[in-house]
Amino acid sequence: MTTLTKSSEDIATPGRFGVYGGRYVPETLVAALDELEHAYGEAQADPAFQARLNSLLHDYAGRPTPLYYAERLTASLGGAKIYLKREDLLHTGAHKINNCLGQGLLAQRMGKHRIIAETGAGQHGVATATVCALLGLECIIYMGDEDMRRQELNVYRMRLLGAEVRGVGSGSCTLKDAINEAMRDWVTNVRTTYYLLGSALGSHPYPTMVRDFQRVIGKEARQQIQEKEGRLPSAVIACVGGGSNAIGAFYEFIPDTSVRLIGVEAGGRGNQIGEHAARFSGGIPGVLQGTYSYVLQDEDGQIALTHSVSAGLDYASVGPEHAALHDSGRAEYVSASDQAALDATVTLARSEGILPALESAHAVAECIRIAPSLSRRDILVVNLSGRGDKDMGILSRELHLQGAGSSKV
C-alpha cells in the first residue's frame, strides 16, 4: 500500500500547512497565542492531562461512538456498503464536545476562568456552555443574530446551561461576524480570558490543536472498520465548514492513499457569490480572522456574503489544513446544494430512523450521489457529525412537513 507522510503540516514551520495557516493577529494577541502554544505542548506531554481528557471523553461524552452499518440505505442505493460514524450520539449531540472538553481542561490548567466562544449552528456554543458548567467556568457565547433566529433551540440550551449569549448584528449576522466579536473581546480581556475556538481554523496553534482533539473520530473509525470488514474503506466523507469534524475524520487516513478523502461544502442555492459557501470552487487564497487559507471574496478583496441552509457551514473561509490537502490532491472537495442536503435528511430519516444535522446531511448527500456508481465491494464511511433536533424549525419550513402519519414532505 502506498503511504504518505503522516501530517500535512510543515514540520519546519510550526503552524503552517504548506503555505497555509500562520498567525495574522494584532500584536496584543501574540503573547496570548505564545502562552497557549506553550501550555498545549505541556498538556500534550502530561499523562495526567491526557488521562483526565480520555476519562471525560469516555464517561461523560460517551466515546467511543459506534460505526453503524446503514443496511437499508445501502440496499436502496444498490452500490457501495455504507457505514455511519455516529458522532450524533455524543453528549450535546455533535462532535464539538471532543474539542470543548480538551480546550476546557486546557483553560483550567492555564488558570483562565472566563471563557469566550463563537458559534454558528449553536452546537459548539452548547458544547462550550456544557463544559463550562462541568468545570465551573464563566461562559460567554457570541452568535450572529441570523443564526440565533435559525437555531433558537440551541440558544435556549446555552442559556439554560448558564452561558451568556451575545447576539451580533453586524455584517451578515452569521459565524464570521460572531468570530469578529469574540476576537474583539479577547483583545480587550486577554489576560483573564480563554478563547475556545470551535473549528480547525484561526491562528496557530488553533488549527493543529483542534485537529488533535478531533483526531479521536478517525482513530476510532479506522480501528472499527478494520474490525468489521477486515480492510480500510474506499472513501471517508465529511461535511466541511471550518473543517474540524472533517479533519478529525480524515487525519488518521492521510497516509493511506487507497482511501479517498471527500469533503463536502455548502453549495447553497446557486453558483453566484453570496449564494453558497463553497470556498474551493468559488474562493481564492487570502487572510481571514488570523489565518491564510481559501476565502470567498470579491474582486476588491472584500469578504463575500455566504449562504447555506445549515448555519454551521455558512462561513467564508476554511481551515488551512484542508487548503493544503486540497492543493496536494490528497483530499477532494465537492459541494452539495441546500436541496440535496434537505433531500438527504429525509432519505436517511426514513431509511434508517436517523435524523442528521443539516451540516452532516451534506456529507450524506454526497454519499447518496456516489454510492450507486460504486461496486458492492466498496465501503463508504460517512462522518455523521451531529444530530438534527436543532434543525427542526428549518426542516419544518423548508420541507412543509405535514401532520403526523403523513408520508408527504
Side-chain angles (χ1 to χ4, degrees), residues 137-172:
L137 305 172
E138 180 184 357
C139 183
I140 297 168
I141 307 292
Y142 289 93
M143 190 172 190
D145 287 346
E146 171 63 13
D147 289 340
M148 290 181 72
R149 182 190 65 79
R150 292 193 288 184
Q151 298 293 335
E152 190 176 29
L153 176 61
N154 274 343
V155 175
Y156 292 151
R157 293 171 72 191
M158 286 182 268
R159 287 174 172 161
L160 182 60
L161 288 160
E164 177 187 348
V165 182
R166 296 184 180 178
V168 179
S170 59
S172 60

PDB file of all heavy atoms in Angstrom, residues 137-172:
ATOM      1  N   LEU A 137     -16.711  27.256  35.003  1.00  0.00           N
ATOM      2  CA  LEU A 137     -16.098  28.391  34.345  1.00  0.00           C
ATOM      3  C   LEU A 137     -17.166  29.359  33.832  1.00  0.00           C
ATOM      4  O   LEU A 137     -18.253  28.947  33.436  1.00  0.00           O
ATOM      5  CB  LEU A 137     -15.247  27.912  33.155  1.00  0.00           C
ATOM      6  CG  LEU A 137     -14.165  26.865  33.474  1.00  0.00           C
ATOM      7  CD1 LEU A 137     -13.539  26.342  32.203  1.00  0.00           C
ATOM      8  CD2 LEU A 137     -13.104  27.457  34.398  1.00  0.00           C
ATOM      9  N   GLU A 138     -16.835  30.662  33.841  1.00  0.00           N
ATOM     10  CA  GLU A 138     -17.732  31.659  33.267  1.00  0.00           C
ATOM     11  C   GLU A 138     -17.759  31.490  31.748  1.00  0.00           C
ATOM     12  O   GLU A 138     -16.733  31.230  31.122  1.00  0.00           O
ATOM     13  CB  GLU A 138     -17.234  33.064  33.612  1.00  0.00           C
ATOM     14  CG  GLU A 138     -18.104  34.182  33.060  1.00  0.00           C
ATOM     15  CD  GLU A 138     -17.529  35.559  33.328  1.00  0.00           C
ATOM     16  OE1 GLU A 138     -16.474  35.658  33.996  1.00  0.00           O
ATOM     17  OE2 GLU A 138     -18.140  36.551  32.865  1.00  0.00           O
ATOM     18  N   CYS A 139     -18.937  31.658  31.137  1.00  0.00           N
ATOM     19  CA  CYS A 139     -19.077  31.349  29.714  1.00  0.00           C
ATOM     20  C   CYS A 139     -19.842  32.446  28.988  1.00  0.00           C
ATOM     21  O   CYS A 139     -20.980  32.777  29.354  1.00  0.00           O
ATOM     22  CB  CYS A 139     -19.809  30.018  29.538  1.00  0.00           C
ATOM     23  SG  CYS A 139     -19.965  29.479  27.830  1.00  0.00           S
ATOM     24  N   ILE A 140     -19.238  32.982  27.931  1.00  0.00           N
ATOM     25  CA  ILE A 140     -19.880  33.986  27.082  1.00  0.00           C
ATOM     26  C   ILE A 140     -19.788  33.504  25.636  1.00  0.00           C
ATOM     27  O   ILE A 140     -18.700  33.210  25.137  1.00  0.00           O
ATOM     28  CB  ILE A 140     -19.199  35.362  27.230  1.00  0.00           C
ATOM     29  CG1 ILE A 140     -19.344  35.859  28.668  1.00  0.00           C
ATOM     30  CG2 ILE A 140     -19.788  36.375  26.239  1.00  0.00           C
ATOM     31  CD1 ILE A 140     -18.486  37.051  28.989  1.00  0.00           C
ATOM     32  N   ILE A 141     -20.940  33.427  24.976  1.00  0.00           N
ATOM     33  CA  ILE A 141     -21.012  32.920  23.604  1.00  0.00           C
ATOM     34  C   ILE A 141     -21.451  34.031  22.671  1.00  0.00           C
ATOM     35  O   ILE A 141     -22.480  34.676  22.893  1.00  0.00           O
ATOM     36  CB  ILE A 141     -22.008  31.750  23.487  1.00  0.00           C
ATOM     37  CG1 ILE A 141     -21.699  30.646  24.513  1.00  0.00           C
ATOM     38  CG2 ILE A 141     -22.027  31.189  22.063  1.00  0.00           C
ATOM     39  CD1 ILE A 141     -20.421  29.912  24.280  1.00  0.00           C
ATOM     40  N   TYR A 142     -20.701  34.243  21.603  1.00  0.00           N
ATOM     41  CA  TYR A 142     -21.081  35.194  20.553  1.00  0.00           C
ATOM     42  C   TYR A 142     -21.732  34.431  19.402  1.00  0.00           C
ATOM     43  O   TYR A 142     -21.210  33.410  18.941  1.00  0.00           O
ATOM     44  CB  TYR A 142     -19.856  35.962  20.061  1.00  0.00           C
ATOM     45  CG  TYR A 142     -19.343  36.949  21.078  1.00  0.00           C
ATOM     46  CD1 TYR A 142     -18.346  36.589  21.985  1.00  0.00           C
ATOM     47  CD2 TYR A 142     -19.877  38.233  21.155  1.00  0.00           C
ATOM     48  CE1 TYR A 142     -17.885  37.491  22.936  1.00  0.00           C
ATOM     49  CE2 TYR A 142     -19.423  39.142  22.106  1.00  0.00           C
ATOM     50  CZ  TYR A 142     -18.432  38.760  22.989  1.00  0.00           C
ATOM     51  OH  TYR A 142     -17.987  39.652  23.936  1.00  0.00           O
ATOM     52  N   MET A 143     -22.881  34.964  18.949  1.00  0.00           N
ATOM     53  CA  MET A 143     -23.644  34.287  17.903  1.00  0.00           C
ATOM     54  C   MET A 143     -24.353  35.327  17.047  1.00  0.00           C
ATOM     55  O   MET A 143     -24.954  36.279  17.564  1.00  0.00           O
ATOM     56  CB  MET A 143     -24.675  33.345  18.540  1.00  0.00           C
ATOM     57  CG  MET A 143     -25.364  32.407  17.589  1.00  0.00           C
ATOM     58  SD  MET A 143     -26.380  31.199  18.514  1.00  0.00           S
ATOM     59  CE  MET A 143     -26.833  30.060  17.188  1.00  0.00           C
ATOM     60  N   GLY A 144     -24.235  35.177  15.725  1.00  0.00           N
ATOM     61  CA  GLY A 144     -24.894  36.108  14.825  1.00  0.00           C
ATOM     62  C   GLY A 144     -26.402  36.105  15.009  1.00  0.00           C
ATOM     63  O   GLY A 144     -27.005  35.065  15.294  1.00  0.00           O
ATOM     64  N   ASP A 145     -27.023  37.281  14.846  1.00  0.00           N
ATOM     65  CA  ASP A 145     -28.473  37.386  15.041  1.00  0.00           C
ATOM     66  C   ASP A 145     -29.236  36.452  14.109  1.00  0.00           C
ATOM     67  O   ASP A 145     -30.250  35.858  14.506  1.00  0.00           O
ATOM     68  CB  ASP A 145     -28.936  38.830  14.795  1.00  0.00           C
ATOM     69  CG  ASP A 145     -28.525  39.773  15.916  1.00  0.00           C
ATOM     70  OD1 ASP A 145     -28.126  39.276  16.993  1.00  0.00           O
ATOM     71  OD2 ASP A 145     -28.602  41.002  15.709  1.00  0.00           O
ATOM     72  N   GLU A 146     -28.747  36.307  12.877  1.00  0.00           N
ATOM     73  CA  GLU A 146     -29.419  35.413  11.929  1.00  0.00           C
ATOM     74  C   GLU A 146     -29.328  33.966  12.405  1.00  0.00           C
ATOM     75  O   GLU A 146     -30.301  33.206  12.320  1.00  0.00           O
ATOM     76  CB  GLU A 146     -28.793  35.558  10.541  1.00  0.00           C
ATOM     77  CG  GLU A 146     -29.255  34.543   9.507  1.00  0.00           C
ATOM     78  CD  GLU A 146     -30.743  34.623   9.167  1.00  0.00           C
ATOM     79  OE1 GLU A 146     -31.403  35.618   9.537  1.00  0.00           O
ATOM     80  OE2 GLU A 146     -31.248  33.671   8.541  1.00  0.00           O
ATOM     81  N   ASP A 147     -28.166  33.583  12.922  1.00  0.00           N
ATOM     82  CA  ASP A 147     -28.008  32.217  13.428  1.00  0.00           C
ATOM     83  C   ASP A 147     -28.829  31.995  14.697  1.00  0.00           C
ATOM     84  O   ASP A 147     -29.344  30.895  14.931  1.00  0.00           O
ATOM     85  CB  ASP A 147     -26.536  31.911  13.688  1.00  0.00           C
ATOM     86  CG  ASP A 147     -25.737  31.764  12.398  1.00  0.00           C
ATOM     87  OD1 ASP A 147     -26.351  31.522  11.347  1.00  0.00           O
ATOM     88  OD2 ASP A 147     -24.497  31.906  12.451  1.00  0.00           O
ATOM     89  N   MET A 148     -28.968  33.027  15.519  1.00  0.00           N
ATOM     90  CA  MET A 148     -29.817  32.910  16.712  1.00  0.00           C
ATOM     91  C   MET A 148     -31.267  32.655  16.304  1.00  0.00           C
ATOM     92  O   MET A 148     -31.976  31.873  16.953  1.00  0.00           O
ATOM     93  CB  MET A 148     -29.712  34.163  17.562  1.00  0.00           C
ATOM     94  CG  MET A 148     -28.372  34.323  18.258  1.00  0.00           C
ATOM     95  SD  MET A 148     -28.275  35.806  19.295  1.00  0.00           S
ATOM     96  CE  MET A 148     -29.362  35.332  20.660  1.00  0.00           C
ATOM     97  N   ARG A 149     -31.677  33.290  15.227  1.00  0.00           N
ATOM     98  CA  ARG A 149     -33.039  33.056  14.730  1.00  0.00           C
ATOM     99  C   ARG A 149     -33.192  31.636  14.197  1.00  0.00           C
ATOM    100  O   ARG A 149     -34.174  30.952  14.486  1.00  0.00           O
ATOM    101  CB  ARG A 149     -33.360  34.066  13.625  1.00  0.00           C
ATOM    102  CG  ARG A 149     -34.777  33.958  13.064  1.00  0.00           C
ATOM    103  CD  ARG A 149     -34.959  34.797  11.823  1.00  0.00           C
ATOM    104  NE  ARG A 149     -34.147  34.347  10.713  1.00  0.00           N
ATOM    105  CZ  ARG A 149     -34.472  33.297   9.943  1.00  0.00           C
ATOM    106  NH1 ARG A 149     -35.570  32.591  10.182  1.00  0.00           N
ATOM    107  NH2 ARG A 149     -33.688  32.941   8.942  1.00  0.00           N
ATOM    108  N   ARG A 150     -32.185  31.195  13.428  1.00  0.00           N
ATOM    109  CA  ARG A 150     -32.266  29.867  12.816  1.00  0.00           C
ATOM    110  C   ARG A 150     -32.096  28.745  13.840  1.00  0.00           C
ATOM    111  O   ARG A 150     -32.596  27.635  13.634  1.00  0.00           O
ATOM    112  CB  ARG A 150     -31.187  29.723  11.724  1.00  0.00           C
ATOM    113  CG  ARG A 150     -31.415  30.594  10.518  1.00  0.00           C
ATOM    114  CD  ARG A 150     -30.529  30.187   9.360  1.00  0.00           C
ATOM    115  NE  ARG A 150     -29.125  30.530   9.540  1.00  0.00           N
ATOM    116  CZ  ARG A 150     -28.191  30.331   8.602  1.00  0.00           C
ATOM    117  NH1 ARG A 150     -28.527  29.764   7.444  1.00  0.00           N
ATOM    118  NH2 ARG A 150     -26.934  30.677   8.813  1.00  0.00           N
ATOM    119  N   GLN A 151     -31.362  29.019  14.904  1.00  0.00           N
ATOM    120  CA  GLN A 151     -31.015  27.976  15.877  1.00  0.00           C
ATOM    121  C   GLN A 151     -31.518  28.357  17.270  1.00  0.00           C
ATOM    122  O   GLN A 151     -30.796  28.290  18.263  1.00  0.00           O
ATOM    123  CB  GLN A 151     -29.508  27.754  15.878  1.00  0.00           C
ATOM    124  CG  GLN A 151     -28.957  27.281  14.551  1.00  0.00           C
ATOM    125  CD  GLN A 151     -29.429  25.883  14.192  1.00  0.00           C
ATOM    126  OE1 GLN A 151     -29.764  25.093  15.065  1.00  0.00           O
ATOM    127  NE2 GLN A 151     -29.472  25.573  12.910  1.00  0.00           N
ATOM    128  N   GLU A 152     -32.764  28.739  17.346  1.00  0.00           N
ATOM    129  CA  GLU A 152     -33.358  29.222  18.588  1.00  0.00           C
ATOM    130  C   GLU A 152     -33.273  28.196  19.706  1.00  0.00           C
ATOM    131  O   GLU A 152     -33.011  28.535  20.867  1.00  0.00           O
ATOM    132  CB  GLU A 152     -34.816  29.605  18.330  1.00  0.00           C
ATOM    133  CG  GLU A 152     -35.490  30.334  19.472  1.00  0.00           C
ATOM    134  CD  GLU A 152     -36.895  30.769  19.114  1.00  0.00           C
ATOM    135  OE1 GLU A 152     -37.545  30.093  18.291  1.00  0.00           O
ATOM    136  OE2 GLU A 152     -37.357  31.778  19.671  1.00  0.00           O
ATOM    137  N   LEU A 153     -33.484  26.932  19.387  1.00  0.00           N
ATOM    138  CA  LEU A 153     -33.426  25.882  20.403  1.00  0.00           C
ATOM    139  C   LEU A 153     -32.062  25.839  21.077  1.00  0.00           C
ATOM    140  O   LEU A 153     -31.961  25.729  22.308  1.00  0.00           O
ATOM    141  CB  LEU A 153     -33.750  24.524  19.778  1.00  0.00           C
ATOM    142  CG  LEU A 153     -33.634  23.306  20.704  1.00  0.00           C
ATOM    143  CD1 LEU A 153     -34.584  23.423  21.878  1.00  0.00           C
ATOM    144  CD2 LEU A 153     -33.891  22.015  19.926  1.00  0.00           C
ATOM    145  N   ASN A 154     -31.000  25.948  20.289  1.00  0.00           N
ATOM    146  CA  ASN A 154     -29.661  25.908  20.879  1.00  0.00           C
ATOM    147  C   ASN A 154     -29.366  27.141  21.724  1.00  0.00           C
ATOM    148  O   ASN A 154     -28.604  27.069  22.692  1.00  0.00           O
ATOM    149  CB  ASN A 154     -28.603  25.743  19.785  1.00  0.00           C
ATOM    150  CG  ASN A 154     -28.367  24.280  19.434  1.00  0.00           C
ATOM    151  OD1 ASN A 154     -28.740  23.387  20.196  1.00  0.00           O
ATOM    152  ND2 ASN A 154     -27.755  24.025  18.296  1.00  0.00           N
ATOM    153  N   VAL A 155     -29.949  28.282  21.368  1.00  0.00           N
ATOM    154  CA  VAL A 155     -29.804  29.474  22.211  1.00  0.00           C
ATOM    155  C   VAL A 155     -30.405  29.211  23.586  1.00  0.00           C
ATOM    156  O   VAL A 155     -29.801  29.524  24.618  1.00  0.00           O
ATOM    157  CB  VAL A 155     -30.457  30.700  21.548  1.00  0.00           C
ATOM    158  CG1 VAL A 155     -30.421  31.909  22.487  1.00  0.00           C
ATOM    159  CG2 VAL A 155     -29.760  31.028  20.233  1.00  0.00           C
ATOM    160  N   TYR A 156     -31.581  28.618  23.623  1.00  0.00           N
ATOM    161  CA  TYR A 156     -32.213  28.268  24.896  1.00  0.00           C
ATOM    162  C   TYR A 156     -31.352  27.293  25.685  1.00  0.00           C
ATOM    163  O   TYR A 156     -31.199  27.413  26.909  1.00  0.00           O
ATOM    164  CB  TYR A 156     -33.595  27.642  24.658  1.00  0.00           C
ATOM    165  CG  TYR A 156     -34.629  28.585  24.120  1.00  0.00           C
ATOM    166  CD1 TYR A 156     -35.660  28.116  23.315  1.00  0.00           C
ATOM    167  CD2 TYR A 156     -34.602  29.952  24.399  1.00  0.00           C
ATOM    168  CE1 TYR A 156     -36.633  28.973  22.796  1.00  0.00           C
ATOM    169  CE2 TYR A 156     -35.559  30.806  23.889  1.00  0.00           C
ATOM    170  CZ  TYR A 156     -36.574  30.315  23.090  1.00  0.00           C
ATOM    171  OH  TYR A 156     -37.515  31.164  22.583  1.00  0.00           O
ATOM    172  N   ARG A 157     -30.776  26.317  25.006  1.00  0.00           N
ATOM    173  CA  ARG A 157     -29.930  25.324  25.684  1.00  0.00           C
ATOM    174  C   ARG A 157     -28.714  25.994  26.319  1.00  0.00           C
ATOM    175  O   ARG A 157     -28.362  25.703  27.468  1.00  0.00           O
ATOM    176  CB  ARG A 157     -29.476  24.247  24.696  1.00  0.00           C
ATOM    177  CG  ARG A 157     -30.596  23.361  24.172  1.00  0.00           C
ATOM    178  CD  ARG A 157     -30.108  22.467  23.055  1.00  0.00           C
ATOM    179  NE  ARG A 157     -29.235  21.405  23.522  1.00  0.00           N
ATOM    180  CZ  ARG A 157     -28.512  20.633  22.718  1.00  0.00           C
ATOM    181  NH1 ARG A 157     -28.511  20.841  21.416  1.00  0.00           N
ATOM    182  NH2 ARG A 157     -27.765  19.661  23.222  1.00  0.00           N
ATOM    183  N   MET A 158     -28.065  26.876  25.585  1.00  0.00           N
ATOM    184  CA  MET A 158     -26.884  27.559  26.121  1.00  0.00           C
ATOM    185  C   MET A 158     -27.236  28.370  27.364  1.00  0.00           C
ATOM    186  O   MET A 158     -26.514  28.336  28.365  1.00  0.00           O
ATOM    187  CB  MET A 158     -26.266  28.461  25.049  1.00  0.00           C
ATOM    188  CG  MET A 158     -25.522  27.712  23.961  1.00  0.00           C
ATOM    189  SD  MET A 158     -24.760  28.835  22.759  1.00  0.00           S
ATOM    190  CE  MET A 158     -26.041  28.960  21.517  1.00  0.00           C
ATOM    191  N   ARG A 159     -28.339  29.092  27.291  1.00  0.00           N
ATOM    192  CA  ARG A 159     -28.740  29.921  28.430  1.00  0.00           C
ATOM    193  C   ARG A 159     -29.133  29.063  29.628  1.00  0.00           C
ATOM    194  O   ARG A 159     -28.821  29.407  30.778  1.00  0.00           O
ATOM    195  CB  ARG A 159     -29.877  30.846  28.005  1.00  0.00           C
ATOM    196  CG  ARG A 159     -29.382  31.976  27.097  1.00  0.00           C
ATOM    197  CD  ARG A 159     -30.492  32.827  26.525  1.00  0.00           C
ATOM    198  NE  ARG A 159     -29.939  33.993  25.823  1.00  0.00           N
ATOM    199  CZ  ARG A 159     -30.598  34.708  24.925  1.00  0.00           C
ATOM    200  NH1 ARG A 159     -31.861  34.383  24.604  1.00  0.00           N
ATOM    201  NH2 ARG A 159     -30.029  35.744  24.332  1.00  0.00           N
ATOM    202  N   LEU A 160     -29.782  27.958  29.392  1.00  0.00           N
ATOM    203  CA  LEU A 160     -30.138  27.046  30.478  1.00  0.00           C
ATOM    204  C   LEU A 160     -28.899  26.501  31.170  1.00  0.00           C
ATOM    205  O   LEU A 160     -28.877  26.301  32.389  1.00  0.00           O
ATOM    206  CB  LEU A 160     -30.998  25.900  29.944  1.00  0.00           C
ATOM    207  CG  LEU A 160     -31.490  24.870  30.965  1.00  0.00           C
ATOM    208  CD1 LEU A 160     -32.358  25.536  32.034  1.00  0.00           C
ATOM    209  CD2 LEU A 160     -32.268  23.762  30.266  1.00  0.00           C
ATOM    210  N   LEU A 161     -27.837  26.302  30.402  1.00  0.00           N
ATOM    211  CA  LEU A 161     -26.581  25.797  30.946  1.00  0.00           C
ATOM    212  C   LEU A 161     -25.773  26.873  31.668  1.00  0.00           C
ATOM    213  O   LEU A 161     -24.717  26.588  32.224  1.00  0.00           O
ATOM    214  CB  LEU A 161     -25.740  25.184  29.813  1.00  0.00           C
ATOM    215  CG  LEU A 161     -26.258  23.851  29.260  1.00  0.00           C
ATOM    216  CD1 LEU A 161     -25.683  23.586  27.876  1.00  0.00           C
ATOM    217  CD2 LEU A 161     -25.922  22.705  30.217  1.00  0.00           C
ATOM    218  N   GLY A 162     -26.263  28.104  31.647  1.00  0.00           N
ATOM    219  CA  GLY A 162     -25.613  29.172  32.395  1.00  0.00           C
ATOM    220  C   GLY A 162     -24.771  30.115  31.577  1.00  0.00           C
ATOM    221  O   GLY A 162     -24.123  31.015  32.131  1.00  0.00           O
ATOM    222  N   ALA A 163     -24.763  29.954  30.254  1.00  0.00           N
ATOM    223  CA  ALA A 163     -23.962  30.830  29.408  1.00  0.00           C
ATOM    224  C   ALA A 163     -24.688  32.131  29.120  1.00  0.00           C
ATOM    225  O   ALA A 163     -25.920  32.180  29.065  1.00  0.00           O
ATOM    226  CB  ALA A 163     -23.637  30.128  28.094  1.00  0.00           C
ATOM    227  N   GLU A 164     -23.918  33.181  28.918  1.00  0.00           N
ATOM    228  CA  GLU A 164     -24.456  34.436  28.400  1.00  0.00           C
ATOM    229  C   GLU A 164     -24.299  34.414  26.886  1.00  0.00           C
ATOM    230  O   GLU A 164     -23.180  34.278  26.377  1.00  0.00           O
ATOM    231  CB  GLU A 164     -23.695  35.629  28.979  1.00  0.00           C
ATOM    232  CG  GLU A 164     -24.160  36.966  28.431  1.00  0.00           C
ATOM    233  CD  GLU A 164     -23.296  38.137  28.879  1.00  0.00           C
ATOM    234  OE1 GLU A 164     -22.474  37.948  29.806  1.00  0.00           O
ATOM    235  OE2 GLU A 164     -23.433  39.226  28.277  1.00  0.00           O
ATOM    236  N   VAL A 165     -25.400  34.530  26.153  1.00  0.00           N
ATOM    237  CA  VAL A 165     -25.350  34.524  24.692  1.00  0.00           C
ATOM    238  C   VAL A 165     -25.484  35.960  24.203  1.00  0.00           C
ATOM    239  O   VAL A 165     -26.488  36.627  24.462  1.00  0.00           O
ATOM    240  CB  VAL A 165     -26.470  33.646  24.090  1.00  0.00           C
ATOM    241  CG1 VAL A 165     -26.352  33.616  22.565  1.00  0.00           C
ATOM    242  CG2 VAL A 165     -26.404  32.232  24.656  1.00  0.00           C
ATOM    243  N   ARG A 166     -24.461  36.438  23.499  1.00  0.00           N
ATOM    244  CA  ARG A 166     -24.457  37.801  22.992  1.00  0.00           C
ATOM    245  C   ARG A 166     -24.690  37.796  21.484  1.00  0.00           C
ATOM    246  O   ARG A 166     -23.884  37.263  20.714  1.00  0.00           O
ATOM    247  CB  ARG A 166     -23.123  38.480  23.312  1.00  0.00           C
ATOM    248  CG  ARG A 166     -22.867  38.645  24.815  1.00  0.00           C
ATOM    249  CD  ARG A 166     -21.577  39.400  25.087  1.00  0.00           C
ATOM    250  NE  ARG A 166     -21.339  39.551  26.530  1.00  0.00           N
ATOM    251  CZ  ARG A 166     -20.268  40.132  27.052  1.00  0.00           C
ATOM    252  NH1 ARG A 166     -19.328  40.633  26.242  1.00  0.00           N
ATOM    253  NH2 ARG A 166     -20.122  40.223  28.363  1.00  0.00           N
ATOM    254  N   GLY A 167     -25.803  38.385  21.053  1.00  0.00           N
ATOM    255  CA  GLY A 167     -26.116  38.456  19.642  1.00  0.00           C
ATOM    256  C   GLY A 167     -25.229  39.457  18.923  1.00  0.00           C
ATOM    257  O   GLY A 167     -24.825  40.468  19.481  1.00  0.00           O
ATOM    258  N   VAL A 168     -24.928  39.156  17.658  1.00  0.00           N
ATOM    259  CA  VAL A 168     -24.086  40.013  16.824  1.00  0.00           C
ATOM    260  C   VAL A 168     -24.901  40.451  15.616  1.00  0.00           C
ATOM    261  O   VAL A 168     -25.322  39.624  14.804  1.00  0.00           O
ATOM    262  CB  VAL A 168     -22.806  39.273  16.378  1.00  0.00           C
ATOM    263  CG1 VAL A 168     -21.954  40.168  15.481  1.00  0.00           C
ATOM    264  CG2 VAL A 168     -22.017  38.800  17.591  1.00  0.00           C
ATOM    265  N   GLY A 169     -25.123  41.744  15.494  1.00  0.00           N
ATOM    266  CA  GLY A 169     -25.985  42.263  14.437  1.00  0.00           C
ATOM    267  C   GLY A 169     -25.253  42.892  13.276  1.00  0.00           C
ATOM    268  O   GLY A 169     -25.885  43.474  12.396  1.00  0.00           O
ATOM    269  N   SER A 170     -23.934  42.766  13.216  1.00  0.00           N
ATOM    270  CA  SER A 170     -23.159  43.368  12.132  1.00  0.00           C
ATOM    271  C   SER A 170     -22.976  42.405  10.977  1.00  0.00           C
ATOM    272  O   SER A 170     -23.138  41.189  11.125  1.00  0.00           O
ATOM    273  CB  SER A 170     -21.791  43.804  12.653  1.00  0.00           C
ATOM    274  OG  SER A 170     -21.087  42.695  13.181  1.00  0.00           O
ATOM    275  N   GLY A 171     -22.613  42.944   9.805  1.00  0.00           N
ATOM    276  CA  GLY A 171     -22.322  42.125   8.634  1.00  0.00           C
ATOM    277  C   GLY A 171     -23.491  41.256   8.230  1.00  0.00           C
ATOM    278  O   GLY A 171     -24.634  41.707   8.156  1.00  0.00           O
ATOM    279  N   SER A 172     -23.201  39.986   7.995  1.00  0.00           N
ATOM    280  CA  SER A 172     -24.241  39.033   7.602  1.00  0.00           C
ATOM    281  C   SER A 172     -24.942  38.421   8.800  1.00  0.00           C
ATOM    282  O   SER A 172     -25.848  37.605   8.648  1.00  0.00           O
ATOM    283  CB  SER A 172     -23.630  37.917   6.745  1.00  0.00           C
ATOM    284  OG  SER A 172     -22.616  37.221   7.478  1.00  0.00           O
TER     285      SER A 172
END
